[in-house]
Amino acid sequence: MQTRKVTPAIGAEVEGVDLSQPLTDAAADGLYRALLQHQVIFLRGADISPQAHLALAESFGELDGPHPLYPHVEGFERIVKLENDSGAPPDTNCWHTDLTFKPVQPFASILIAREVPEVGGDTMWSSCYAAYDRLPEGMKADLEGLEAIHDMGDFRNSFGHSPEALNDGMARFGHMIRPLIGTHPVTGRKFLNFNEAFVVHINGMGTSEANALKVWLTNHMNKPEDQMRWRWQKGDLAMWDNRCTMHYAVADYLPSYRCMNRITVVKDRREGQRLKEVS
Ligand code: OGA
Ligand code: MN
């Protein structure tokens, strides 16, 4: 297995792993270590079947249940089918970490490109480790101990047709409180645990003070130095560590069609291990 970095801060392309064959334990461990080290890994043209996609995801841990809003691949209720064109414009073109408002934030997602536009439809990822490392020392000290309140953010749009629907949606998805400075459970590295999509307030602050800090953090976390951009080809596979990254699906390809398959791994099977050498 070889890895080639995409940028110094984040991302690596992995070669020499055949995902169409059952994965050996050594290969699964190798992919996991590459993921933990580079935060997002890519297998160009892997083009694996839904069965192999599922087997790969299961080798990393427990899977998320069927998605409450999105459709799934026929016969595979755990594979979300993300399908967009002008009739269904994408809604993931904002910097976000998946589902941070849930009590258990998913560990990882595995995305496969099934149909890509001729040009556009790239996905970007950013490193929340790098964003933490770049904080001025005084700011690190100020943020330590603060907590952010997360909720479903602009998913509200799906419930905005009536106050009853909105209240039901809020009751269903709820809130989560997370430290603003996170510590990765496996690498032990600190990261900036903030994403503009789902953080609605900073616990204990007044609204205008919280808003000012949110804008500061949003700007701080929007630096190309922390980011990478993947230009998809049909069949490419990406896997990201959803605990220490954000991503942004660039919505520049309409009216063309784009179709991705995604499986979310909720729990990291190897979380008890401490991989010091990748931290
Ligand atoms: C996601 C997502 C990225 C993409 O699957 O969580 O944001 O490029 N999608 O489709
Ligand atoms: Mn997402």
Side-chain angles (χ1 to χ4, degrees):
M1 196 182 104
Q2 302 89 44
T3 55
R4 191 168 57 240
K5 273 177 175 278
V6 180
T7 72
I10 182 168
E13 197 175 330
V14 175
E15 278 171 355
V17 180
D18 182 2
L19 292 181
S20 67
Q21 302 299 318
L23 205 60
T24 62
D25 288 349
D29 283 346
L31 286 175
Y32 180 77
R33 298 176 96 79
L35 176 72
L36 273 278
Q37 183 175 356
H38 302 288
Q39 307 146 66
V40 49
I41 54 174
F42 300 89
L43 283 92
R44 185 66 98 184
D47 202 23
I48 53 173
S49 65
Q51 287 86 347
H53 189 185
L54 206 54
L56 177 67
E58 281 170 343
S59 79
F60 290 102
E62 196 182 299
L63 307 187
D64 199 6
H67 196 281
L69 303 174
Y70 295 155
H72 57 76
V73 171
E74 172 112 43
F76 296 89
E77 60 173 15
R78 295 189 185 237
I79 308 184
V80 177
K81 191 172 184 186
L82 300 163
E83 244 182 333
N84 297 105
D85 59 16
S86 356
D91 60 359
T92 47
N93 54 328
C94 61
W95 280 112
H96 66 284
T97 304
D98 289 335
L99 304 176
T100 58
F101 52 88
K102 282 192 155 184
V104 179
Q105 174 180 334
F107 147 51
S109 280
I110 306 178
L111 197 60
I112 300 179
R114 295 301 184 193
E115 292 291 337
V116 293
E118 205 169 287
V119 64
D122 299 352
T123 307
M124 301 181 68
W125 281 267
S126 80
S127 168
C128 304
Y129 290 140
Y132 174 79
D133 293 344
R134 273 193 308 100
L135 283 171
E137 289 306 316
M139 198 64 177
K140 283 182 185 165
D142 287 348
L143 298 181
E144 199 71 55
L146 288 180
E147 293 171 328
I149 298 181
H150 299 239
D151 77 11
M152 67 173 160
D154 68 10
F155 288 176
R156 278 174 177 75
N157 295 336
S158 306
F159 303 97
H161 45 277
S162 76
E164 291 78 18
L166 188 56
N167 285 331
D168 284 351
M170 285 310 291
R172 191 156 136 215
F173 292 111
H175 290 81
M176 192 57 202
I177 302 176
R178 300 184 178 281
L180 210 42
I181 306 298
T183 303
H184 193 286
V186 181
T187 65
R189 276 184 75 182
K190 288 190 176 184
F191 61 97
L192 195 43
N193 195 14
F194 175 86
N195 73 96
E196 141 180 60
F198 301 130
V199 172
V200 286
H201 188 61
I202 310 298
N203 215 0
M205 284 190 175
T207 301
S208 62
E209 190 188 6
N211 285 348
L213 180 55
K214 280 162 52 189
V215 169
W216 192 92
L217 290 168
T218 300
N219 288 332
H220 174 79
M221 293 182 90
N222 199 4
K223 285 277 191 294
E225 286 79 359
D226 301 347
Q227 299 168 2
M228 59 146 298
R229 182 170 182 137
W230 187 254
R231 184 159 188 201
W232 293 97
Q233 291 169 12
K234 191 174 168 153
D236 288 355
L237 179 149
M239 177 167 183
W240 67 90
D241 185 340
N242 191 58
R243 299 170 293 200
C244 56
T245 58
M246 298 192 293
H247 54 281
Y248 185 121
V250 181
D252 55 358
Y253 54 88
L254 299 178
S256 295
Y257 174 77
R258 180 180 187 263
C259 179
M260 314 293 280
N261 288 176
R262 186 187 74 195
I263 303 181
T264 299
V265 186
V266 181
K267 219 179 149 345
D268 178 356
R269 176 191 307 295
R270 298 171 181 82
E271 190 170 305
Q273 304 172 9
R274 281 232 147 202
L275 295 182
K276 277 294 173 212
E277 62 272 43
V278 302
S279 61

